[in-house]
Structures are given as structure tokens and as C-alpha cells.
Amino acid sequence: MNLWDFPVYLLQHKLQSGEISSVEIVRAFRERISQVEGKVKAFITLDEEGALREAARVDQEGGYTGLAGIPYGLKDLICTRGMKTTCASRMLEDFIPVYDAFVVAKLRETRALLMGKTNLDEFAMGSSTEQSAFFPTRNPWALDRVPGGSSGGSAAAVSAREVPFCLGTDTGGSIRQPAAYCGVVGLKPTYGRVSRRGVVPYASSLDQVGVLAQNVRDCALVFSIIAGHDPGDTTCVNVPVPDFVSALDEGVKGIKIAYPREYFALGVDEEIKAAVMKSLKKLEELGAIVEEVSLPHSEYALPAYYLLAPAEASANLARFDGVRYGYRDLEADNVIDMFAQTRGTAFGAEVKRRIMLGTYALSSGYYDAYYLKALKVRRLISSDFDKVFASYDLIVTPTTPTPPFIIGAHVEDPITLYMNDILTVPVNMAGLPAMSIPCGLTRGLPLGMQIIAKPFAESLIMQAAYAFEQNTEYHSMKPELEV
Amino acid sequence: MVLNIKEVEHVAGLARLTLKPEEKKEMVARLSSILNYVDKLNELDTDKVEPLTHILPVNNVFREDKTEPGMDRELLMSSTDMKEDGQYKVPKIM
Amino acid sequence: MGHEYETVIGLEVHVELHTKSKIFCACPNEFGAEPNTHVCPICAGFPGMLPVLNKEAVELSIKAGLALNCHIAEVCKFDRKNYFYPDLPKAYQISQFAMPICQQGYLEIDVDGAPKRIGIHRAHMEEDAGKLIHQGAITETLYTLVDLNRSGVPLLEIVSEPDMRSAEEARDYLEKLRAVLLFAGVSDCKMEEGSLRCDANVSIRPLGEKKLGTRTEIKNLNSFRSLERAIEYEVNRQKERLEDGGTIIQETLTWDEEKQVTRSLRSKEEAHDYRYFPDPDLVPIHISRDWVEALRRNLPEMPDQARERLMKEQGLPAYDAAIISLSPDYLAFFDACAARYSNAKVVSNWMMVELNRLLNLHNMNISECKINSNDFILMLNYIDNGTISGKMAKNVFEEMFATGSSPDKIIQEKGMVQISDEKALLQLVRKVLEENPEVVRDYKNGKEKALGFLVGQIMKVTKGQANPGLVNKILKETLTEE
Ligand SMILES: [Zn+2]
């Protein structure tokens, strides 16, 4: 086994026992990246040399606590002081923030090593990473397929073993869907669990930063570092952060798991349904109580999401006007034209589409019919979950309706592409935590199972996911990337 | 089509987006199909439903009225070349 | 022709809240710094930066609401107001649209000696934008510079009902509003620094008509004078237009201070579509009644209360009391003096005549005035005990105003002590009478005016230091004796 194949917790163990140094770890991953990155194209920016320098410093200091000496990748929408943060957009192609995101500061504090910034759909708007202004990322399991999105670069990088973990962001499924497509674990925390400060927003009321890793234990380790209160983000709640790692072993005995029938309709592939049902059986064998329930408004989550998220985005992306940072059109001789030409030139097609849609949904005469209506539907979706969680601890569903699709397959058909998020979007609408874990393969492509919990009950999700993982082999499957 | 080209131009104006003629045409088609899709929401009677604007049951998060000096101006403005005398420079307003 | 019209005016007033830091970041809220030095990634609208609400801004807004007799909302929220402008870094302004912090208040002004209530429709919190510096005229400049020091300064926008009926009432309302906000300690309300800004909505309608006429909004009114003049100008313009058979177009105007005219900025058709929606970055504010009451208890005396007190306890006429209670600094000076001087009206007279004259002359605020109340009372005492004359006192006062010296020092340095020595004065009188025999003759022939001339001569010789009362008395006695 190569060093790059080791998960975080084993690398940590090897560091602590003095078996290897952090420099050796970074060198190993650098080698791995040189082997596979040309094919996968997970990274927009790589800084292996910077990571090596930091590794040397960590080795010198010793005391491998937390994530000290462990390399990682960051979705290139999370700001890094002194390192380009492009959001995969021409708009920010050369943008170097003068500040770190709160989560980056946390990872620096624990002395984790930033290897580079991973690819995404421009400004996180997409489900395939094809909307990156620079290049599409490829699925390590099948290079002609998408890795999912928008955190496609992060999922692919973990799957291809280019880094042991990554941070991504999830607005409507952007961590869970690529995690499912790339056969890795992806955690989208409760809205308010992790600070959004320094994370370029897509839809502020839905965005959350989360973790992509090889397994549940790694996820818990990383999540312990990034979760918690930030006084600089008023939507980041001041609640205690439990010990996620030690809770892992508590098993699923007596835990009440619901599976909503709507999530097994909605155009979900038969193989996926079968794989998730089989997984539910497994959980039942392990002592969980599994029952069918209904979340009646599920099918309305996606249309409501495609009004709310673009509406917020239309304001969030308005600041890119060429004045203080980013691309600027130099031809225009007045400021109004400068704004419009800067934005018309530097935003990609999907970003412009969503800005237009969101602007329209908020505009005079349409606000009630679109934006307000969507807010009301959001209430209905959230209440559906409340009702189920009154009697159940967890909800289990498939993560995606289909396995990863061929690159370019849906380029001309945004609605089909949007449908990819149909099982993940309701969770963001209700602000709940959820995780996708591998639960099978179909035609050599990985499948994901989604576990959803009440607000701030990430620990219970991981506990169940870990029990499942310990009793199955899916998480140890990895793509056979030819080197 | 739910939208026509005039409306697309109006919205593009509000959003300050210059669109090429072919982009406008595409926008008419795509936005119309998305708006048709979201019409699904009208199947639901939401007259008595309270809109959900904040998902968290949290309110009154404040900071104390304490100052910190602004960021070093050179650093703050290092992200653009379009500046003069410590100010951002933009083309004329009118 | 020659219809009678009624003028209808409503004012939208923006005041900067007097906090130490900005509303959503810790940058200093301070006027006059080097461009872009009170700026951070939050108030410069950098990607990923988030607002955190300044509690003091909320408390000052509640205080303002209480001082304006408003209902304070149980729950209020922030919305995003979307529009592009180079001084607005996020391209949206965080403001309150659907749920403002204060509603339904009022202020009283004096109209022809009777109180008149002007309704306050609402008051809401928002952030200020930066400042644009044009190279030359806005229409001719090739480029514009942006300074973001002001970006994120907390504002309270106070919207009145259309209850004012003349430019004078509008001015009185604005003066009263300023006074209330100054007393409540909400804002320093300096129009010249832009911490108090005013837009006016103006319409006219035939007298007796209930329906409001089409209104125009005048922006850029940066002094009380321009407010009054712009409204007068606009009302006349609207009247002339209607008399000529035209109609009023709903539009936004700007007041051209130089040419003293209103000019069109944009018509209603070009009006903005602000696309307000709740800001997801800020959680709602719940204002408990306990919180409101605690702030109410700490509210200082308001102008109306002060005026009442000055009339009742100090016996000042309504006019004096109203003027003195327009500014807390002014009132504090009065109170400090009146507490240690028996005749409040004398204090008031000095403040309203001499002090005001000098303040206006030097374009100063009373807080910048060098005279302290102790010295001022000392000066009044010197008048009362005859050390100096009232006329000399004016010179002393001017000197105190200019230098901040004590009256003792000024009187001594300038040798300004009043001559009240009867013997010395008698000698002077005799000398003047000898030198002016014709005038003495005139006086004896019944020309009363001649006496004034003689007094003047004595004052001239003594450089104004002779005690005028005594001079009069001695002159008359001497003239009768002769
Ligand atoms: Zn700031």
C-alpha cells in the first residue's frame, strides 16, 4: 500500500508513532498528484512546495496533534490569504484574498497543510464541475464521466488519492452528490454549524462548508476542527461541539431510521433504490429500527430552490463590478457600461443564467409569485422534516437519482441537470445535516446513500454511517486509475 | 415562451449584464423553460403559510461597539490597479 | 387663473448614528480621515465577508424612536436593497424595508403660536455608502474616485408623514428633529459633514382638495437654508406649471445650490427596482419591552421638556425657551449660568444676542466656544456692581469669546474699569461744559438733545469708561447749578 492510499487517521497514527514524517507524506502525495492530476484535473492551483515547507516546519516542531502534518485540498471558493481564490471564474482569475476564511484559519491553527485549491462549477453553480471557466474535472472511476459538483474537484481529489481530505461547500447537494459520484464520504453540516466567513457565497441561507474524505472517521476528525462558533458570522450558532470521534463507536442499536417513499420515486434508478434498500436491511441487522415514512412536499423542493438560490445569488454576485478586485472591462467610457461589460464578459453562461433568473424572481411585479411563494414552500418542506423527526432519529435516502453521467450529456438541458439535486436540495432547504456514504457500485460506478438528521445531530449521522462502514466494504473500494 | 426578449433585456439591465444577441435568444428559451418548471409550485396552496426567511431559531446576535483600525490601505487596495491617490478609480458616472 | 393652492411636504431625513465603529464592522466611524483608511474587507464588500451588527446602532435607533414618540418594533429585520453604484461596494445596501425598527411617531412644531403635530411614518436602520469624488463637474469629468471611509457608517432614515404645509414648517420640523436627536445623543447632526441629510417630497393641490397632488422629490438639500429655498422654488415651479395648464411629472430633482434652481435627475419611469429581500446574513432582532424600557429610563431631557422647564422654573418667555432648547450644548450653557445667577432673562438675552451674533459671525457651534459659564457670570456680576458698563461688557465679552481669557484679566489689561469716582467725573463735566458753551446754551433753551451730545463728549474723553448713569446725574446737577 502506498502512503497516499492511507486515510487521515492512519497517517496521523504513523506521524505520532514516529514511523514517518510530514515531509514524507507531502512528498508521497506530490508524487501521486504528478501521476494522476493530468487525467483527473481536480486542482485549479497547486502549492506542493508551500506544503512541503510547512511540513518541514511541522516536523521540526513535532507534537502531531490534531491534523498537524496532514495535507489537504480546498474548494477554490474558500478564501486563502496569499493564494489565488478563483471560484473557477474568469471574474476572479487573478484574485488573491488578503484574508483567510474562518475554516482555513482553523486548519492553519491545527497545522494541516494546504496542497492546493480544487476545481468547481463557477461560483458553485452546477452539479458536474463542467461549469468551471477553466476545465472540467473528470471522475476518477471513469474519466469520461463527471465527478459531480459543484465540489467536483474536491471529491475527485480525495477519490484519486491526491489528498486525504478536502473541504467543499454544499448549497443544494454540492458536497454529497460529488461524494456519491466519486465513491467518497461527504458531510454537509447543519446550517449554522460551520462558519461561512471567507467563503464566497452562492446562496447565503443554504450554503454550508463541509468535509470530503475517504471514510467516516476521517470526516469526524476534520469536522471536529472546522465546526464551532465564529463571532464573525452571525448565522454560525454558539452551541457546544461534541466529540464526534469518540461517539463513532456507539452503533445503531435502537436508533429509529425512516426512509421516505418519495425519495425512492422521483426518477431514481432501480439499481440505486436496490442498493439503498439493501443498505437499510444492513442497518436493521445492526439493530436499527427501519420504517417507511412520507415527506409529501419533497418534489417541490427543487423548483423552490431554483428560485431562492438564484435570488440570493443575484445579490451575492452583484459586488463583482470591476471596481475593487477581479476582472474589469477597460473599454467602457462610463461606469454603467463598465459594470455591464465587466459582468457580461467575465461571468460564464450558467452564472449569468442564475443571476438573470434570481433578478427576475425578485423584480417588481414578480416577487410574490416567485420569491415569496418559494419561501412559503420552504416552510412546508421544513415542516415535513419536523414531523418525521418527531418520531425518528435519522432519515435515509439515496444521494442521487442516477450514477455519474458522461461529460457533456446534459449541457444543453439544464433542467435534467438540475434534477440531479432533487434528493439533496430538500436537506438544504430545511437547514439539516446530512452525509453521503458509498453504498454500492453499478456498472463499475459508485453509488451513495444519504443519511439525514435533526439540526446539530451530525454526531448521530456519523455514528450510524460508521456502524454501516464497519460492517460493509464499500468504503474501501477505490478507482483503478491507470498510472 | 414565458419571457420575451424585451423582458430579458430589462432584467439584464437590472442585473448589469451585457448579453450578446445570441445569449439573449438562448436566455429567452432557457429561462422560459425553468419558469415553466417552477410553475409546479402553484399546485400548492400556500395562502396560510408563513414564509421561511431564517431557518435558524436564532436572533439578536450583535457585536460590541469597539473599533479596530482599518486595513492597511496598500494591502486592501492591492487587488486592483485602477486607483489614484489612495482611491478607487472608475470611469465617469454620466 | 389665480387658484389658491395648498403645499404638501414630507421629509426623508438620514442621520448618521453616533457610534464609535461602523454598523457591520469594527472600522472607526469618524469623519475626515485620509481616503480609504477606515476601511476593511467587510465595508469594502470583499467576497465572503459577512456583516455583524453593532449593538450600539440598535440602541441608538431605539432611543431615537422613543424620542420621536414611535412604536418600537417587537421584531425587526434587515433587507438587501439592490442597486449598482460605484460608492456601494456590495451593490446592495443593507437596509430595513419590510420590518423597520420604529414606526408611527410624531414631533410637535410651533405654527403661529400653537403646537402642530408632524407624523413620523417610520424610521429604519441602514448602512451608508462611500463617497465619490468627481474630477470637475459630474457631467464633464473623465473619471471618478471612490473613497469608502463612509461605507458602512450606521444611518437612521426617518420618514415623516406629508404633514407640512410650508417651507417654513419643513424647516421648523427639521430643526426640531435635529434638536431631538441631539438631545437623545443619537447623532451629532452636522449638516456640513453630512451626518444629517434631507430629501423633501413636495406636491401642491387646490385648496380644499383631499387627494394628494403628484409629488417630486428634491435631493441634495444640505442646509436649512437650501431646504427652505428649494421647497419655495419647487412650489412656485409647480404652481406656474399648473397655471400654464401643464401637469406635474413624478420625478427626482436635485437642488442646484449655485443657480438656486431644482433640476431633474430621473423620472418615475427610470425609477429603481430595488428588489428588496431579507438579508440571509443577519438574524432577526427581537426587542423585548424590558430592553425598550431600560433605554427609555436612560433617555435624557428632551427639547419640549426643557422648554417647559425654562418657562416654568426660569420664567423665560416662550420664544427664548424655544431657542435655547434647540441644542443640548446651548441649554447646558444656559443651565450652568442660570444656576448661579439670579436673573435668567439677562443670561438668555446675552446668549440670544451677543453670543449668537458671534457664533454666527464665526460660523461656530457653542461647543467650540471658549467662554465658560464661570467667566460669563463673573462678567455679569461686574456689570451689576458697576465695575464695567454694559457697553464695555460687550467688548469684554468679545475678547472672552476670541481668547477664552477671564474678564478679570481683560478688564485689567485693557484698563477697562468704569470711572465711578464722582469727583473725577465732576471735573470732567466742568471741562466739557467750558469747552461747549453754545451747547450749554441750547440745553438751557430747552433743547433736550444737547444733553446727549454732552454725555457723548464725556464718554469720548474717557474712552467709554465713565459710568453713564453717574455722568447723566452729574451733568444735570451741574447744568442746573449754573
Ligand atoms: Zn470595515
Side-chain angles (χ1 to χ4, degrees):
Chain A
M1 201 159 144
N2 289 300
L3 208 45
W4 61 70
D5 278 320
F6 283 93
V8 172
Y9 73 91
L10 286 179
L11 291 172
Q12 215 176 30
H13 182 75
K14 285 176 181 293
L15 281 169
Q16 282 161 0
S17 67
E19 201 181 316
I20 50 164
S21 71
S22 173
V23 167
E24 284 171 89
I25 293 178
V26 175
R27 284 205 184 116
F29 281 101
R30 183 173 63 175
E31 193 194 332
R32 176 63 177 173
I33 288 168
S34 75
Q35 289 171 1
V36 301
E37 175 60 11
K39 295 190 178 98
V40 178
K41 299 180 79 64
F43 287 90
I44 291 173
T45 303
L46 274 164
D47 185 26
E48 298 118 309
E49 295 314 308
L52 262 182
R53 277 195 304 277
E54 282 299 297
R57 201 169 61 89
V58 172
D59 284 338
Q60 208 168 26
E61 290 167 1
Y64 297 101
T65 54
L67 297 173
I70 311 282
Y72 73 99
L74 266 183
K75 187 179 187 178
D76 201 18
L77 162 97
I78 302 175
C79 290
T80 42
R81 188 184 166 107
M83 189 188 286
K84 262 193 328 186
T85 301
T86 68
C87 299
S89 179
R90 295 278 169 224
M91 184 62 89
L92 293 179
E93 202 167 355
D94 302 311
F95 176 58
I96 300 175
V98 293
Y99 44 86
D100 274 332
F102 183 80
V103 290
V104 175
K106 284 282 192 184
L107 287 168
R108 281 198 208 282
E109 201 180 290
T110 189
R111 297 180 298 158
L113 311 171
L114 178 59
M115 287 288 264
K117 307 290 291 285
T118 56
N119 200 14
L120 62 146
D121 290 293
E122 185 177 359
F123 287 105
M125 296 181 183
S127 309
S128 65
T129 318
E130 293 165 290
Q131 300 297 335
S132 166
F134 307 130
F135 46 81
T137 295
R138 293 164 185 281
N139 193 315
W141 293 79
L143 294 172
D144 58 342
R145 291 183 185 261
V146 301
S150 62
S151 310
S154 292
V158 173
S159 171
R161 305 298 190 250
E162 293 181 273
V163 279
F165 78 89
C166 278
L167 296 193
T169 62
D170 190 316
T171 307
S174 283
I175 287 174
R176 290 158 289 157
Q177 184 253 23
Y181 278 10
C182 293
V184 301
V185 172
L187 172 68
K188 178 248 171 241
T190 312
Y191 184 82
R193 177 63 103 175
V194 180
S195 169
R196 295 184 294 114
R197 178 153 57 113
V199 181
V200 181
Y202 162 22
S204 313
S205 79
L206 302 161
D207 295 345
Q208 251 323 263
V209 179
V211 187
L212 295 113
Q214 286 180 28
N215 58 53
V216 176
R217 179 175 287 274
D218 282 7
C219 215
L221 281 168
V222 177
F223 188 49
S224 308
I225 303 289
I226 63 165
H229 183 231
D230 171 13
D233 173 3
T234 64
T235 64
C236 181
V237 186
N238 194 359
V239 291
V241 179
D243 183 344
F244 299 114
V245 180
S246 65
L248 290 177
D249 296 317
E250 289 177 23
V252 288
K253 213 171 174 66
I255 286 181
K256 293 188 76 182
I257 297 176
Y259 64 98
R261 67 176 72 93
E262 292 81 2
Y263 284 64
F264 292 79
L266 296 172
V268 179
D269 277 12
E270 290 305 324
E271 288 107 323
I272 295 184
K273 282 187 210 170
V276 176
M277 289 313 290
K278 197 176 148 201
S279 303
L280 281 164
K281 280 260 154 40
K282 187 82 206 173
L283 288 164
E284 210 167 15
E285 277 168 40
L286 295 170
I289 300 148
V290 178
E291 285 169 5
E292 191 188 61
V293 296
S294 171
L295 290 166
H297 296 98
S298 300
E299 60 178 315
Y300 300 99
L302 196 67
Y305 172 84
Y306 273 99
L307 292 170
L308 294 182
E312 291 182 26
S314 72
N316 283 334
L317 271 65
R319 67 186 63 196
F320 300 104
D321 60 7
V323 178
R324 288 142 292 123
Y325 43 76
Y327 176 81
R328 165 132 164 201
D329 177 273
L330 296 172
E331 308 287 305
D333 72 342
N334 70 76
V335 85
I336 294 173
D337 289 350
M338 189 277 273
F339 286 164
Q341 281 166 31
T342 293
R343 296 163 57 75
T345 307
F347 284 140
E350 183 63 18
V351 172
K352 281 190 256 190
R353 226 152 22 225
R354 295 199 195 184
I355 290 174
M356 289 287 289
L357 183 59
T359 304
Y360 182 70
L362 289 171
S363 67
S364 166
Y366 299 99
Y367 181 91
D368 287 2
Y370 290 118
Y371 181 75
L372 191 67
K373 180 85 184 178
L375 284 181
K376 291 178 166 190
V377 173
R378 188 174 181 185
R379 169 82 60 197
L380 295 175
I381 291 155
S382 177
S383 318
D384 276 3
F385 280 109
D386 287 347
K387 281 173 205 150
V388 170
F389 280 126
S391 328
Y392 295 88
D393 303 307
L394 295 171
I395 295 173
V396 167
T397 77
T399 308
T400 62
T402 65
F405 50 89
I406 304 277
I407 291 173
H410 300 318
V411 168
E412 289 306 314
D413 183 8
I415 299 230
T416 309
L417 190 59
Y418 294 174
M419 287 295 182
N420 251 283
D421 299 331
I422 199 155
L423 307 174
T424 46
V425 153
V427 173
N428 299 75
M429 296 291 267
L432 302 171
M435 180 180 251
S436 177
I437 56 169
C439 73
L441 285 182
T442 173
R443 285 161 284 156
L445 299 170
L447 302 174
M449 169 170 76
Q450 175 172 235
I451 308 175
I452 309 163
K454 290 175 208 174
F456 301 101
E458 292 91 351
S459 198
L460 195 63
I461 294 178
M462 289 191 275
Q463 187 181 319
Y466 187 71
F468 179 79
E469 202 179 71
Q470 291 305 100
N471 290 283
T472 54
E473 291 301 320
Y474 305 117
H475 69 286
S476 54
M477 301 183 306
K478 58 171 186 166
E480 286 172 31
L481 269 172
E482 282 170 44
V483 174
Chain B
M1 293 293 155
V2 184
L3 277 180
N4 60 38
I5 204 130
K6 273 238 139 30
E7 287 169 298
V8 162
E9 283 169 350
H10 171 71
V11 176
L14 285 176
R16 295 277 187 270
L17 286 171
T18 302
L19 299 178
K20 297 189 198 85
E22 62 272 22
E23 282 183 299
K24 288 183 196 169
K25 276 224 296 265
E26 198 223 308
M27 212 59 96
V28 168
R30 295 239 173 143
L31 294 186
S32 292
S33 85
I34 297 168
L35 290 171
N36 277 327
Y37 171 63
V38 302
D39 255 355
K40 189 175 173 55
L41 297 180
N42 291 323
E43 294 167 10
L44 294 173
D45 177 6
T46 53
D47 283 355
K48 296 201 175 70
V49 182
E50 187 63 19
L52 195 163
T53 55
H54 290 81
I55 191 80
L56 291 166
V58 172
N59 48 58
N60 292 14
V61 183
F62 304 117
R63 39 174 280 274
E64 292 305 314
D65 186 22
K66 289 193 182 121
T67 62
E68 277 167 33
M71 183 176 260
D72 174 76
R73 188 167 70 183
E74 295 308 306
L75 185 63
L76 181 85
M77 297 182 76
S78 63
S79 50
T80 181
D81 295 328
M82 303 305 287
K83 52 198 168 187
E84 186 174 298
D85 299 333
Q87 292 158 91
Y88 294 105
K89 194 171 166 180
V90 297
K92 64 173 186 281
I93 305 286
M94 304 256 183
Chain C
M1 292 296 272
H3 289 97
E4 289 275 344
Y5 289 101
E6 182 179 44
T7 303
V8 177
I9 304 160
L11 296 187
E12 288 171 23
V13 175
H14 286 86
V15 288
E16 290 183 357
L17 297 172
H18 195 56
T19 53
K20 294 189 200 75
S21 61
K22 292 186 179 180
I23 184 165
F24 298 122
C25 66
C27 289
N29 171 12
E30 226 174 71
F31 182 80
E34 276 285 295
N36 290 314
T37 54
H38 289 345
V39 183
C40 70
I42 297 174
C43 55
F46 273 66
M49 291 293 98
L50 295 172
V52 184
L53 180 58
N54 182 344
K55 189 175 185 186
E56 181 69 7
V58 179
E59 298 209 324
L60 290 178
S61 301
I62 296 173
K63 279 189 187 175
L66 291 173
L68 297 170
N69 308 296
C70 287
H71 170 71
I72 310 297
E74 275 86 14
V75 182
C76 69
K77 286 180 184 173
F78 282 100
D79 299 290
R80 294 182 180 179
K81 177 181 182 179
N82 297 285
Y83 66 95
F84 287 86
Y85 212 63
D87 64 3
L88 189 69
K90 299 187 294 301
Y92 60 82
Q93 180 190 31
I94 303 178
S95 181
Q96 297 190 298
F97 178 64
M99 300 174 87
I101 188 162
C102 311
Q103 272 173 302
Q104 292 170 318
Y106 65 88
L107 258 188
E108 273 182 3
I109 59 169
D110 229 57
V111 178
D112 303 325
K116 173 175 174 177
R117 212 170 248 207
I118 308 294
I120 308 270
H121 178 60
R122 56 183 275 160
H124 66 258
M125 294 181 274
E126 61 188 24
E127 56 179 341
D128 208 345
K131 234 180 209 159
L132 299 181
I133 295 98
H134 306 292
Q135 307 299 301
I138 186 168
T139 43
E140 286 147 30
T141 179
L142 285 175
Y143 61 89
T144 295
L145 298 177
V146 187
D147 171 12
L148 297 178
N149 280 345
R150 207 180 61 185
S151 166
V153 163
L155 292 178
L156 190 69
E157 179 176 341
I158 302 160
V159 182
S160 83
E161 298 290 353
D163 287 348
M164 287 151 275
R165 294 290 171 267
S166 68
E168 199 190 344
E169 285 184 23
R171 188 202 160 100
D172 287 349
Y173 164 80
L174 189 61
E175 276 188 343
K176 186 62 173 287
L177 179 65
R178 180 174 180 273
V180 167
L181 298 173
L182 282 171
F183 274 72
V186 166
S187 171
D188 60 13
C189 295
K190 290 181 180 163
M191 283 186 109
E192 65 284 7
E193 290 182 6
S195 65
L196 181 119
R197 308 195 282 271
C198 179
D199 304 333
N201 289 309
V202 179
S203 65
I204 60 172
R205 60 184 169 193
L207 204 61
E209 171 68 52
K210 287 271 181 298
K211 231 177 75 202
L212 289 172
T214 306
R215 68 187 166 85
T216 57
E217 182 181 4
I218 318 172
K219 296 204 171 277
N220 193 31
L221 304 171
N222 40 32
S223 70
F224 288 102
R225 222 167 68 148
S226 49
L227 169 73
E228 228 176 334
R229 294 216 173 148
I231 291 174
E232 276 161 8
Y233 176 89
E234 181 56 18
V235 167
N236 279 329
R237 188 190 71 86
Q238 291 189 11
K239 275 184 192 162
E240 275 168 25
R241 185 148 189 101
L242 290 185
E243 289 296 305
D244 290 350
T247 49
I248 309 299
I249 315 162
Q250 184 170 345
E251 59 186 336
T252 304
L253 308 166
T254 183
W255 174 241
D256 187 329
E257 189 68 59
E258 225 170 279
K259 300 197 177 95
Q260 298 275 304
V261 294
T262 55
R263 282 191 293 110
S264 182
L265 273 182
R266 58 175 175 266
S267 72
K268 192 194 175 190
E269 286 70 47
E270 304 163 58
H272 295 294
D273 179 353
Y274 288 124
R275 290 162 281 132
Y276 286 99
F277 75 100
D279 191 337
D281 288 334
L282 290 156
V283 298
I285 310 164
H286 287 227
I287 305 170
S288 74
R289 298 304 95 178
D290 286 352
W291 191 7
V292 173
E293 287 318 306
L295 289 167
R296 193 197 300 277
R297 278 195 297 279
N298 286 327
L299 216 55
E301 185 183 49
M302 286 293 120
D304 285 347
Q305 296 166 303
R307 188 175 62 167
E308 283 294 300
R309 177 170 63 77
L310 295 185
M311 289 166 68
K312 268 198 193 131
E313 294 174 18
Q314 304 285 357
L316 288 190
Y319 178 78
D320 293 41
I323 300 276
I324 288 173
S325 56
L326 273 181
S327 138
D329 291 334
Y330 213 67
L331 177 67
F333 187 80
F334 173 85
D335 281 338
C337 299
R340 278 166 300 143
Y341 189 76
S342 54
N343 192 338
K345 178 66 179 141
V346 170
V347 174
S348 162
N349 285 348
W350 273 93
M351 287 180 70
M352 309 233 311
V353 181
E354 279 307 297
L355 183 58
N356 260 358
R357 183 179 68 80
L358 292 170
L359 288 174
N360 288 337
L361 189 68
H362 296 95
N363 202 8
M364 273 165 65
N365 197 292
I366 189 159
S367 60
E368 302 158 300
C369 169
K370 290 178 182 151
I371 301 177
N372 69 48
S373 56
N374 283 334
D375 287 343
F376 179 58
I377 290 165
L378 200 58
M379 185 201 82
L380 294 182
N381 289 335
Y382 284 141
I383 301 173
D384 294 343
N385 67 21
T387 310
I388 53 174
S389 66
K391 195 172 168 220
M392 287 159 72
K394 284 183 186 169
N395 294 331
V396 173
F397 190 79
E398 262 181 46
E399 194 67 20
M400 286 163 70
F401 187 90
T403 63
S405 290
S406 74
D408 286 337
K409 202 171 158 212
I410 296 164
I411 290 167
Q412 198 177 26
E413 273 176 10
K414 307 229 155 176
M416 275 174 124
V417 179
Q418 184 166 248
I419 304 169
S420 302
D421 177 343
E422 289 204 28
K423 265 188 205 155
L425 285 176
L426 186 61
Q427 263 179 344
L428 277 173
V429 165
R430 291 219 171 106
K431 191 163 169 254
V432 167
L433 293 183
E434 267 167 40
E435 283 166 7
N436 298 284
E438 285 133 58
V439 184
V440 173
R441 202 177 313 127
D442 286 350
Y443 177 77
K444 290 192 170 164
N445 290 338
K447 271 197 176 168
E448 284 288 326
K449 264 191 191 161
L451 187 72
F453 174 82
L454 294 168
V455 173
Q457 288 302 302
I458 292 157
M459 296 311 276
K460 201 170 151 191
V461 175
T462 58
K463 292 186 182 125
Q465 291 183 39
N467 182 328
L470 268 180
V471 170
N472 248 306
K473 184 183 140 234
I474 296 169
L475 251 180
K476 277 188 186 162
E477 282 169 8
T478 318
L479 285 164
T480 337
E481 280 166 19
E482 276 185 4

